[in-house]
């Protein structure tokens, strides 16, 4: 397991898969959602995806065990990102929402953190507008 810490925000269609991929790479990864129920569901989905990779021979049982140890979940974004090396958002495709999210991250995450987006339809340069460095 590496010393890196990642936070994946959003437990919808893509977040659990992103979290599973990071965890499979040995990165301590916290999946963050707005409420406990969705955080639990997202974590279960990420674990199921990892189990599927192991069943298909893409992860060994040792790699699966390590990845499962790397995964956690939370509802407290600020607490999780304060020590994060990498934060990726996978929240709804709404420009204003994503802009507010990155404004919040800029005030909480360490300057060394890589802040990333899973946006598929919004120009990435629009997300950083009104975010002070």
């Amino acid at each position: 397991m590496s010393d890196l810490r990642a936070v994946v925000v959003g437990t919808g269609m893509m977040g659990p898969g992103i979290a599973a991929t990071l965890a499979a790479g040995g990165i301590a990864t916290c999946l963050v959602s707005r409420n406990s129920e969705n955080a639990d569901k997202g974590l279960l989905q990420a674990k199921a995806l990892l189990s599927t990779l192991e069943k298909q021979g893409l992860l060994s049982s040792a790699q699966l065990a390590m990845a499962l140890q790397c995964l956690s979940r939370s509802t407290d974004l600020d607490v999780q990102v304060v020590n994060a090396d990498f934060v990726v958002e996978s929240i709804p495709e709404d420009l204003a929402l994503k802009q507010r999210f990155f404004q919040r991250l800029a005030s909480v995450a360490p300057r060394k953190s890589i802040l990333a987006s899973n946006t598929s339809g919004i120009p990435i340069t629009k997300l950083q507008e009104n975010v002070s460095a």
Side-chain angles (χ1 to χ4, degrees):
M1 187 176 340
S2 86
D3 291 334
L4 296 175
R5 288 194 25 83
V7 175
V8 177
V9 183
T11 54
M13 296 288 290
M14 302 293 290
I18 295 167
T21 302
L22 290 164
I27 297 171
T29 303
C30 185
L31 190 55
V32 176
S33 189
R34 290 175 290 186
N35 63 59
S36 290
E37 181 181 352
N38 287 343
D40 289 341
K41 285 180 185 177
L43 184 60
L44 286 174
Q45 187 177 2
K47 289 178 177 182
L49 290 166
L50 290 166
S51 293
T52 298
L53 292 174
E54 191 254 350
K55 287 175 188 160
Q56 294 177 349
L58 299 171
L59 288 179
S60 68
S61 56
Q63 289 170 313
L64 172 62
M66 179 207 52
L68 292 174
Q69 286 183 328
C70 288
L71 280 174
S72 63
R73 50 71 91 209
S74 179
T75 58
D76 195 335
L77 175 68
D78 292 353
V79 167
Q80 295 305 316
V81 301
V82 75
N83 294 313
D85 298 293
F86 179 69
V87 181
V88 60
E89 67 80 12
S90 187
I91 63 177
E93 287 292 289
D94 177 286
L95 177 59
L97 177 67
K98 287 182 185 275
Q99 286 175 328
R100 286 191 306 274
F101 178 79
F102 278 100
Q103 288 168 353
R104 181 176 176 189
L105 280 183
S107 70
V108 179
R111 291 189 56 78
K112 69 175 178 84
S113 296
I114 297 170
L115 308 180
S117 176
N118 186 42
T119 188
S120 58
I122 299 172
I124 198 76
T125 55
K126 293 278 188 192
L127 300 182
Q128 58 84 34
E129 289 179 359
N130 303 316
V131 175
S132 50

